[in-house]
Amino acid sequence: DFVDTWRNGVETPEGLDFPLIEDLLESLRPHAPDQEAFDRFTNEWMLERALPSLELREADVQPDGDGYRVTATLANTGTGTADVTVRVEGKAPADDQPAASADVTEGISDDSDSPVDLWVSFEPVRLLVDPDVELLHAGRRRTETPLTP
């Protein structure tokens, strides 16, 4: 729809017009399964200036049955709401084997803390936020911490 409408510009009384980000969003909105959620997301992340500033605090590991309970606080001192992956990584059993890992998704919002609580069946060695770098956020160095059971 967007390309069809704007391929060669749009004629107006003032001359040829070309699209803005708002025009792209207007063409995408009808295709969103939830238009209110679409509007909330695009307003925050595309039209405003959301920038989470994340930090892991109070990371702890405790033996728990046949595994370990990993807890921490994920703090957002910035702005923006999003879901972010928090990963617990274990020690690789051998050089040619991948390390064990477990993920949990945490919701963040403006200037708030989110508890992280994850049980794992392996010895955890590292806790990190957004391991696949899917979210634009400040403080990436503050979102990784070594763990010691």
Side-chain angles (χ1 to χ4, degrees):
D1 296 341
F2 179 77
V3 172
D4 287 344
T5 300
W6 294 97
R7 180 182 317 262
N8 299 311
V10 172
E11 289 289 340
T12 69
E14 293 82 33
L16 203 53
D17 190 19
F18 292 95
L20 301 172
I21 190 71
E22 291 83 357
D23 298 309
L24 173 63
L25 299 178
E26 185 178 317
S27 71
L28 294 174
R29 183 177 294 106
H31 303 285
D34 180 342
Q35 292 185 6
E36 286 182 24
F38 175 87
D39 288 342
R40 275 193 309 275
F41 176 81
T42 57
N43 284 339
E44 181 177 23
W45 287 95
M46 300 180 96
L47 301 176
E48 295 175 4
R49 293 187 185 110
L51 181 62
S53 181
L54 303 179
E55 179 179 1
L56 281 170
R57 298 177 181 162
E58 304 160 5
D60 187 45
V61 177
Q62 294 296 322
D64 185 2
D66 292 338
Y68 299 87
R69 172 115 2 235
V70 179
T71 59
T73 299
L74 177 58
N76 177 17
T77 58
T79 60
T81 58
D83 289 336
V84 64
T85 300
V86 179
R87 178 171 293 161
V88 176
E89 291 182 340
K91 190 176 353 180
D95 290 339
D96 61 341
Q97 298 292 318
S101 67
D103 294 350
V104 64
T105 301
E106 295 294 336
I108 59 164
S109 59
D110 293 357
D111 199 21
S112 68
D113 293 350
S114 299
V116 175
D117 187 350
L118 190 63
W119 184 88
V120 295
S121 61
F122 52 85
E123 184 177 331
V125 296
R126 184 168 76 145
L127 181 64
L128 64 154
V129 176
D130 193 27
D132 299 322
V133 191
E134 296 176 338
L135 178 67
L136 172 66
H137 68 87
R140 196 157 295 275
R141 289 185 182 165
R142 298 185 314 252
T143 60
E144 181 177 335
T145 187
L147 296 172
T148 305

